[in-house]
Amino acid sequence: MRGASPDLVRRALAERDPLPGTAGFAGELDGRLVRDVLGRQPLFSERADPAKWSFDHRDLDDPVAVPAGRARQTAGEAAGDDERVWSLPDPPAATDRDAALDRVRDAVFESVRSVDDDGLAVAFSGGVDSAVVAAGVPDAPCYVAGFEGSHDVAAAREAAAAMDRDLTVVELTHEALERAVPEIVAALGRTTPMDVQIVLPLYLLAERVAADGYDRLAVGQGADELFGGYAKVQKAPDDPRVEADTVRGAAREMILTLPDQLERDLLVLRAAGVDPVAPLLHDRVVSAALPLPEEFLVDGDRRKVALREAASGVLPESVAEADKKAVQYGTYASRELDRLARQAGFKRRMENHVQQYVESLVE
């Protein structure tokens, strides 16, 4: 069992408690494979024999992921059957604004300050998410990846200077992208361009971190989903990318996408040689974020309101209020992978031209 003791998971199963006070867990317990409600640890079993399982799909011939919040039988007539054992809570919006904000502040900083900094580096983009994480581990080195001139590199330099932190810049190159793509595809088991673009800078940053002697990487994953960081949440219900007709509903939709995202990110980081540490995905932070009212998610053009307010007394204002681009755009990974595809003859008029290019690199 990774991420929690067997006794804690047994208690969570018995009580159907989806947030029992962990940062996620998965593994085998009493003849079942279990994975926490947000899928913060990946878990797979062999399709024809669920008793064969692994945390890495590459160890199996025909792997099937255990869905988040499920328990899979490993033997008997029900072998391979999945039972939902945990569901994400759906509390009403908090009515005491001050108490809700205090709860977020306490949860966030208890989580980031509880991180052991032994062998730890921080993935630092200059946004409020990674800056909050970095603030909790003041002695850990900070790293950013991106092409020179990219938004993330510039933002990270400015934020590191404001926070008086040393920063290592991992400069991306076309050669590095071409080398990394097949390795990423092997780790993921898929060639979807968006997935590859998102994890390219993370993978190359993690490789450098591992080469520098660190085996753990603190990340800000989960903050955008939990605290309303997406433009499509801000624009709900008018954005066709979400089905919800409220900002809170749209934020919940994003939270429910976390299992697939976290599986992708964790597999790639482990393939690069580090274990991720995501303090903003601890149960205490999730519990504090779920009941936030709409105005603590989005207020006009300001997103992640509660997280920014919580950070305001700890981070410089310029960092707490900094805007951030999605990693594939902020690092130029998406733009430059597209450029490489076109230079290799995969023109934009071709269907799925970037995916065709990715597949050509794998071949």
Side-chain angles (χ1 to χ4, degrees):
M1 182 67 61
R2 278 185 176 172
S5 70
D7 285 345
L8 187 151
V9 177
R10 283 192 187 95
R11 185 167 63 250
L13 283 166
E15 299 174 0
R16 288 298 197 261
D17 182 359
L19 302 171
T22 78
F25 55 84
E28 191 274 337
L29 185 71
D30 304 330
R32 294 192 290 179
L33 302 176
V34 295
R35 188 178 177 200
D36 77 86
V37 72
L38 287 179
R40 288 163 288 188
Q41 293 281 350
L43 185 63
F44 306 88
S45 69
E46 196 71 69
R47 187 182 301 274
D49 183 4
K52 296 179 181 178
W53 62 273
S54 176
F55 298 110
D56 189 333
H57 65 92
R58 292 174 294 181
D59 296 333
L60 305 171
D61 294 326
D62 189 10
V64 180
V66 177
R70 306 304 209 279
R72 174 173 295 167
Q73 295 289 340
T74 61
E77 293 183 0
D81 289 353
D82 293 333
E83 176 193 2
R84 177 176 286 282
V85 289
W86 298 293
S87 296
L88 187 70
D90 191 10
T95 56
D96 187 331
R97 291 168 49 90
D98 291 340
L101 184 57
D102 286 344
R103 192 175 178 212
V104 168
R105 183 181 293 110
D106 291 346
V108 166
F109 285 103
E110 181 179 354
S111 292
V112 299
R113 289 169 178 158
S114 298
V115 173
D116 179 3
D117 64 3
D118 183 43
L120 183 80
V122 180
F124 188 79
S125 67
V128 64
D129 313 348
S130 60
V132 163
V133 172
V137 282
D139 295 327
C142 296
Y143 287 74
V144 65
F147 283 88
E148 188 57 44
S150 65
H151 174 277
D152 277 15
V153 170
R157 284 174 169 152
E158 292 176 7
M163 296 173 65
D164 194 25
R165 297 290 291 265
D166 292 333
L167 178 71
T168 298
V169 177
V170 181
E171 186 172 344
L172 303 186
T173 65
H174 286 170
E175 293 75 18
L177 263 61
E178 290 176 319
R179 173 187 62 79
V181 164
E183 298 167 8
I184 287 170
V185 169
L188 291 180
R190 48 185 157 170
T191 59
T192 315
M194 183 61 73
D195 287 324
V196 173
Q197 291 162 2
I198 288 171
V199 296
L200 261 171
L202 196 59
Y203 179 78
L204 291 166
L205 183 151
E207 273 194 331
R208 172 63 182 275
V209 164
D212 286 350
Y214 302 96
D215 59 8
R216 299 162 64 237
L217 184 66
V219 294
Q221 259 85 339
D224 279 327
E225 291 77 13
L226 291 172
F227 294 105
Y230 290 100
K232 53 191 169 186
V233 172
Q234 179 185 10
K235 297 174 183 176
D238 299 324
D239 195 305
R241 294 173 293 177
V242 295
E243 297 181 3
D245 56 6
T246 66
V247 166
R248 289 192 78 231
R252 184 175 177 84
E253 279 186 37
M254 296 303 100
I255 295 171
L256 293 174
T257 70
L258 277 170
D260 285 341
Q261 296 184 59
L262 297 175
E263 179 182 299
R264 175 197 65 207
D265 296 351
L266 196 147
L267 288 172
V268 165
L269 286 172
R270 286 183 177 161
V274 299
D275 277 324
V277 178
L280 299 182
L281 280 168
H282 194 281
D283 282 348
R284 68 173 70 93
V285 180
V286 178
S287 295
L290 288 175
L292 285 173
E294 178 175 315
E295 61 269 25
F296 272 167
L297 298 171
V298 173
D299 185 8
D301 291 332
R302 191 181 186 217
R303 293 178 243 160
K304 291 188 283 194
V305 175
L307 183 61
R308 297 186 194 279
E309 290 292 325
S312 63
V314 177
L315 302 179
E317 182 180 0
S318 61
V319 181
E321 296 297 330
D323 289 329
K324 185 182 181 300
K325 295 180 180 291
V327 63
Q328 66 271 31
Y329 307 125
T331 60
Y332 290 169
S334 176
R335 187 188 77 176
E336 295 307 311
L337 192 64
D338 182 271
R339 187 194 305 275
L340 286 170
R342 289 182 283 112
Q343 289 176 350
F346 298 92
K347 305 304 182 185
R348 286 177 176 165
R349 65 176 179 272
M350 301 169 64
E351 186 176 0
N352 298 324
H353 72 289
V354 175
Q355 182 159 353
Q356 290 191 54
Y357 172 64
V358 167
E359 291 169 350
S360 76
L361 291 178
V362 174
E363 292 169 1

